[in-house]
PDB file of all heavy atoms in Angstrom:
ATOM      1  N   PRO F1368     -11.266-101.865-189.303  1.00 96.00           N
ATOM      2  CA  PRO F1368     -10.294-100.942-189.900  1.00 96.00           C
ATOM      3  C   PRO F1368      -9.049-101.637-190.444  1.00 96.00           C
ATOM      4  O   PRO F1368      -8.285-101.024-191.196  1.00 96.00           O
ATOM      5  CB  PRO F1368      -9.936-100.003-188.744  1.00 96.00           C
ATOM      6  CG  PRO F1368     -10.323-100.730-187.510  1.00 96.00           C
ATOM      7  CD  PRO F1368     -11.456-101.636-187.863  1.00 96.00           C
ATOM      8  N   GLN F1396     -11.920-111.254-184.771  1.00 97.00           N
ATOM      9  CA  GLN F1396     -12.350-110.234-183.789  1.00 97.00           C
ATOM     10  C   GLN F1396     -13.666-109.597-184.229  1.00 97.00           C
ATOM     11  O   GLN F1396     -14.570-109.415-183.436  1.00 97.00           O
ATOM     12  CB  GLN F1396     -11.240-109.179-183.621  1.00 97.00           C
ATOM     13  CG  GLN F1396     -11.618-108.068-182.660  1.00 97.00           C
ATOM     14  CD  GLN F1396     -10.474-107.083-182.404  1.00 97.00           C
ATOM     15  OE1 GLN F1396      -9.318-107.336-182.726  1.00 97.00           O
ATOM     16  NE2 GLN F1396     -10.801-105.951-181.794  1.00 97.00           N
ATOM     17  N   HIS F1397     -13.748-109.235-185.515  1.00 96.00           N
ATOM     18  CA  HIS F1397     -15.026-108.798-186.092  1.00 96.00           C
ATOM     19  C   HIS F1397     -15.531-109.898-187.000  1.00 96.00           C
ATOM     20  O   HIS F1397     -14.789-110.417-187.831  1.00 96.00           O
ATOM     21  CB  HIS F1397     -14.861-107.483-186.852  1.00 96.00           C
ATOM     22  CG  HIS F1397     -14.760-106.290-185.946  1.00 96.00           C
ATOM     23  ND1 HIS F1397     -14.555-105.012-186.391  1.00 96.00           N
ATOM     24  CD2 HIS F1397     -14.849-106.207-184.593  1.00 96.00           C
ATOM     25  CE1 HIS F1397     -14.526-104.179-185.357  1.00 96.00           C
ATOM     26  NE2 HIS F1397     -14.680-104.880-184.251  1.00 96.00           N
ATOM     27  N   TYR F1398     -16.777-110.248-186.845  1.00 93.00           N
ATOM     28  CA  TYR F1398     -17.314-111.455-187.484  1.00 93.00           C
ATOM     29  C   TYR F1398     -18.687-111.232-188.109  1.00 93.00           C
ATOM     30  O   TYR F1398     -19.100-111.969-188.974  1.00 93.00           O
ATOM     31  CB  TYR F1398     -17.426-112.576-186.432  1.00 93.00           C
ATOM     32  CG  TYR F1398     -18.023-112.068-185.144  1.00 93.00           C
ATOM     33  CD1 TYR F1398     -19.392-112.016-184.956  1.00 93.00           C
ATOM     34  CD2 TYR F1398     -17.195-111.562-184.134  1.00 93.00           C
ATOM     35  CE1 TYR F1398     -19.945-111.496-183.794  1.00 93.00           C
ATOM     36  CE2 TYR F1398     -17.737-111.033-182.977  1.00 93.00           C
ATOM     37  CZ  TYR F1398     -19.101-111.005-182.807  1.00 93.00           C
ATOM     38  OH  TYR F1398     -19.635-110.474-181.670  1.00 93.00           O
ATOM     39  N   ASP F1399     -19.437-110.187-187.674  1.00 93.00           N
ATOM     40  CA  ASP F1399     -20.750-109.941-188.285  1.00 93.00           C
ATOM     41  C   ASP F1399     -20.576-109.696-189.777  1.00 93.00           C
ATOM     42  O   ASP F1399     -19.578-109.085-190.186  1.00 93.00           O
ATOM     43  CB  ASP F1399     -21.385-108.663-187.699  1.00 93.00           C
ATOM     44  CG  ASP F1399     -22.020-108.897-186.343  1.00 93.00           C
ATOM     45  OD1 ASP F1399     -22.000-110.043-185.871  1.00 93.00           O
ATOM     46  OD2 ASP F1399     -22.538-107.923-185.767  1.00 93.00           O
ATOM     47  N   MET F1402     -19.745-106.217-190.514  1.00 92.00           N
ATOM     48  CA  MET F1402     -18.448-105.750-190.021  1.00 92.00           C
ATOM     49  C   MET F1402     -17.291-106.441-190.745  1.00 92.00           C
ATOM     50  O   MET F1402     -16.145-106.064-190.599  1.00 92.00           O
ATOM     51  CB  MET F1402     -18.314-106.044-188.521  1.00 92.00           C
ATOM     52  CG  MET F1402     -19.368-105.389-187.651  1.00 92.00           C
ATOM     53  SD  MET F1402     -19.240-103.587-187.653  1.00 92.00           S
ATOM     54  CE  MET F1402     -17.817-103.345-186.577  1.00 92.00           C
ATOM     55  N   SER F1423     -16.078-112.021-179.833  1.00 96.00           N
ATOM     56  CA  SER F1423     -15.978-110.918-178.866  1.00 96.00           C
ATOM     57  C   SER F1423     -15.589-111.422-177.478  1.00 96.00           C
ATOM     58  O   SER F1423     -15.656-112.613-177.189  1.00 96.00           O
ATOM     59  CB  SER F1423     -17.309-110.181-178.778  1.00 96.00           C
ATOM     60  OG  SER F1423     -17.640-109.633-180.024  1.00 96.00           O
ATOM     61  N   HIS F1426     -11.199-107.340-173.134  1.00 97.00           N
ATOM     62  CA  HIS F1426      -9.893-107.184-173.781  1.00 97.00           C
ATOM     63  C   HIS F1426      -8.971-108.342-173.430  1.00 97.00           C
ATOM     64  O   HIS F1426      -8.271-108.878-174.285  1.00 97.00           O
ATOM     65  CB  HIS F1426      -9.259-105.850-173.382  1.00 97.00           C
ATOM     66  CG  HIS F1426      -9.878-104.699-174.101  1.00 97.00           C
ATOM     67  ND1 HIS F1426      -9.330-104.149-175.226  1.00 97.00           N
ATOM     68  CD2 HIS F1426     -11.033-104.047-173.879  1.00 97.00           C
ATOM     69  CE1 HIS F1426     -10.115-103.172-175.656  1.00 97.00           C
ATOM     70  NE2 HIS F1426     -11.158-103.098-174.857  1.00 97.00           N
ATOM     71  N   VAL F1455      -5.492-102.596-183.299  1.00 98.00           N
ATOM     72  CA  VAL F1455      -6.592-103.289-182.598  1.00 98.00           C
ATOM     73  C   VAL F1455      -6.028-104.428-181.739  1.00 98.00           C
ATOM     74  O   VAL F1455      -4.828-104.715-181.770  1.00 98.00           O
ATOM     75  CB  VAL F1455      -7.663-103.788-183.596  1.00 98.00           C
ATOM     76  CG1 VAL F1455      -8.221-102.606-184.394  1.00 98.00           C
ATOM     77  CG2 VAL F1455      -7.125-104.852-184.522  1.00 98.00           C
ATOM     78  N   ASN F1456      -6.896-105.087-180.986  1.00 98.00           N
ATOM     79  CA  ASN F1456      -6.405-106.147-180.102  1.00 98.00           C
ATOM     80  C   ASN F1456      -5.716-107.263-180.881  1.00 98.00           C
ATOM     81  O   ASN F1456      -4.752-107.867-180.397  1.00 98.00           O
ATOM     82  CB  ASN F1456      -7.561-106.708-179.270  1.00 98.00           C
ATOM     83  CG  ASN F1456      -7.981-105.733-178.173  1.00 98.00           C
ATOM     84  OD1 ASN F1456      -7.220-104.828-177.816  1.00 98.00           O
ATOM     85  ND2 ASN F1456      -9.185-105.898-177.660  1.00 98.00           N
ATOM     86  N   GLU F1488      -6.411 -98.588-177.905  1.00 98.00           N
ATOM     87  CA  GLU F1488      -5.579 -98.614-179.121  1.00 98.00           C
ATOM     88  C   GLU F1488      -4.194 -98.021-178.870  1.00 98.00           C
ATOM     89  O   GLU F1488      -3.225 -98.424-179.496  1.00 98.00           O
ATOM     90  CB  GLU F1488      -6.256 -97.839-180.262  1.00 98.00           C
ATOM     91  CG  GLU F1488      -7.549 -98.453-180.766  1.00 98.00           C
ATOM     92  CD  GLU F1488      -8.758 -98.101-179.909  1.00 98.00           C
ATOM     93  OE1 GLU F1488      -8.597 -97.355-178.906  1.00 98.00           O
ATOM     94  OE2 GLU F1488      -9.862 -98.569-180.220  1.00 98.00           O
ATOM     95  N   HIS F1570     -17.895 -94.840-181.932  1.00 98.00           N
ATOM     96  CA  HIS F1570     -17.741 -96.182-181.363  1.00 98.00           C
ATOM     97  C   HIS F1570     -16.692 -96.263-180.264  1.00 98.00           C
ATOM     98  O   HIS F1570     -16.559 -97.294-179.621  1.00 98.00           O
ATOM     99  CB  HIS F1570     -17.426 -97.215-182.439  1.00 98.00           C
ATOM    100  CG  HIS F1570     -16.004 -97.122-182.932  1.00 98.00           C
ATOM    101  ND1 HIS F1570     -15.612 -96.187-183.842  1.00 98.00           N
ATOM    102  CD2 HIS F1570     -14.893 -97.835-182.620  1.00 98.00           C
ATOM    103  CE1 HIS F1570     -14.321 -96.321-184.079  1.00 98.00           C
ATOM    104  NE2 HIS F1570     -13.849 -97.309-183.351  1.00 98.00           N
ATOM    105  N   HIS F1602     -22.378 -98.534-185.206  1.00 97.00           N
ATOM    106  CA  HIS F1602     -21.488 -99.651-184.863  1.00 97.00           C
ATOM    107  C   HIS F1602     -22.181-100.538-183.821  1.00 97.00           C
ATOM    108  O   HIS F1602     -22.924-100.026-182.965  1.00 97.00           O
ATOM    109  CB  HIS F1602     -20.214 -99.025-184.290  1.00 97.00           C
ATOM    110  CG  HIS F1602     -19.111 -99.998-183.982  1.00 97.00           C
ATOM    111  ND1 HIS F1602     -19.114-100.784-182.859  1.00 97.00           N
ATOM    112  CD2 HIS F1602     -17.966-100.292-184.640  1.00 97.00           C
ATOM    113  CE1 HIS F1602     -18.012-101.524-182.840  1.00 97.00           C
ATOM    114  NE2 HIS F1602     -17.295-101.237-183.921  1.00 97.00           N
ATOM    115  N   PRO F1603     -21.955-101.868-183.843  1.00 96.00           N
ATOM    116  CA  PRO F1603     -22.639-102.746-182.879  1.00 96.00           C
ATOM    117  C   PRO F1603     -22.412-102.356-181.417  1.00 96.00           C
ATOM    118  O   PRO F1603     -23.335-102.434-180.593  1.00 96.00           O
ATOM    119  CB  PRO F1603     -22.043-104.133-183.152  1.00 96.00           C
ATOM    120  CG  PRO F1603     -21.328-104.055-184.450  1.00 96.00           C
ATOM    121  CD  PRO F1603     -21.123-102.612-184.795  1.00 96.00           C
ATOM    122  N   ARG F1604     -21.182-101.937-181.094  1.00 96.00           N
ATOM    123  CA  ARG F1604     -20.915-101.509-179.706  1.00 96.00           C
ATOM    124  C   ARG F1604     -21.828-100.339-179.338  1.00 96.00           C
ATOM    125  O   ARG F1604     -22.396-100.277-178.249  1.00 96.00           O
ATOM    126  CB  ARG F1604     -19.446-101.071-179.576  1.00 96.00           C
ATOM    127  CG  ARG F1604     -19.136-100.360-178.275  1.00 96.00           C
ATOM    128  CD  ARG F1604     -17.761 -99.715-178.327  1.00 96.00           C
ATOM    129  NE  ARG F1604     -16.684-100.662-178.153  1.00 96.00           N
ATOM    130  CZ  ARG F1604     -16.264-101.130-176.971  1.00 96.00           C
ATOM    131  NH1 ARG F1604     -16.846-100.750-175.857  1.00 96.00           N
ATOM    132  NH2 ARG F1604     -15.264-101.966-176.911  1.00 96.00           N
TER     133      ARG F1604
HETATM  134  C1  LIG Q2923     -12.414-102.376-182.444  1.00 54.94           C
HETATM  135  C2  LIG Q2923     -11.041-101.782-182.213  1.00 54.94           C
HETATM  136  C3  LIG Q2923     -11.073-100.292-182.603  1.00 54.94           C
HETATM  137  C4  LIG Q2923     -11.609-100.101-183.988  1.00 54.94           C
HETATM  138  C5  LIG Q2923     -12.981-100.740-184.079  1.00 54.94           C
HETATM  139  C6  LIG Q2923     -13.590-100.573-185.435  1.00 54.94           C
HETATM  140  C7  LIG Q2923      -9.771-102.746-180.339  1.00 54.94           C
HETATM  141  C8  LIG Q2923      -9.269-102.496-178.987  1.00 54.94           C
HETATM  142  N1  LIG Q2923     -10.627-101.839-180.823  1.00 54.94           N
HETATM  143  O1  LIG Q2923     -13.303-101.774-181.522  1.00 54.94           O
HETATM  144  O2  LIG Q2923      -9.757 -99.785-182.554  1.00 54.94           O
HETATM  145  O3  LIG Q2923     -11.684 -98.722-184.289  1.00 54.94           O
HETATM  146  O4  LIG Q2923     -12.825-102.120-183.780  1.00 54.94           O
HETATM  147  O5  LIG Q2923     -14.825-101.185-185.522  1.00 54.94           O
HETATM  148  O6  LIG Q2923      -9.385-103.704-180.972  1.00 54.94           O
HETATM  149  N2  LIG Q2923     -19.453-106.649-182.181  1.00 54.94           N
HETATM  150  C9  LIG Q2923     -20.425-107.248-182.923  1.00 54.94           C
HETATM  151  N3  LIG Q2923     -20.065-107.778-184.133  1.00 54.94           N
HETATM  152  C10 LIG Q2923     -18.800-107.734-184.588  1.00 54.94           C
HETATM  153  C11 LIG Q2923     -17.816-107.123-183.811  1.00 54.94           C
HETATM  154  C12 LIG Q2923     -18.153-106.569-182.608  1.00 54.94           C
HETATM  155  O7  LIG Q2923     -21.580-107.315-182.559  1.00 54.94           O
HETATM  156  O8  LIG Q2923     -18.561-108.223-185.706  1.00 54.94           O
HETATM  157  C13 LIG Q2923     -19.833-106.036-180.898  1.00 54.94           C
HETATM  158  C14 LIG Q2923     -19.640-106.944-179.734  1.00 54.94           C
HETATM  159  O9  LIG Q2923     -20.683-106.732-178.848  1.00 54.94           O
HETATM  160  C15 LIG Q2923     -18.357-106.449-179.111  1.00 54.94           C
HETATM  161  C16 LIG Q2923     -18.394-104.992-179.435  1.00 54.94           C
HETATM  162  O10 LIG Q2923     -19.059-104.899-180.698  1.00 54.94           O
HETATM  163  O11 LIG Q2923     -18.298-106.717-177.755  1.00 54.94           O
HETATM  164  C17 LIG Q2923     -17.043-104.381-179.547  1.00 54.94           C
HETATM  165  O12 LIG Q2923     -16.219-105.125-180.444  1.00 54.94           O
HETATM  166  P1  LIG Q2923     -14.632-105.181-180.224  1.00 54.94           P
HETATM  167  O13 LIG Q2923     -13.982-105.915-181.306  1.00 54.94           O
HETATM  168  O14 LIG Q2923     -14.330-105.581-178.829  1.00 54.94           O
HETATM  169  O15 LIG Q2923     -14.179-103.672-180.277  1.00 54.94           O
HETATM  170  P2  LIG Q2923     -14.696-102.451-181.171  1.00 54.94           P
HETATM  171  O16 LIG Q2923     -15.418-101.522-180.297  1.00 54.94           O
HETATM  172  O17 LIG Q2923     -15.365-102.921-182.425  1.00 54.94           O
END
Side-chain angles (χ1 to χ4, degrees):
Q1396 178 175 346
H1397 283 177
Y1398 45 86
D1399 280 358
M1402 300 294 284
S1423 299
H1426 284 263
V1455 302
N1456 286 341
E1488 294 82 1
H1570 75 280
H1602 185 282
R1604 169 191 283 279

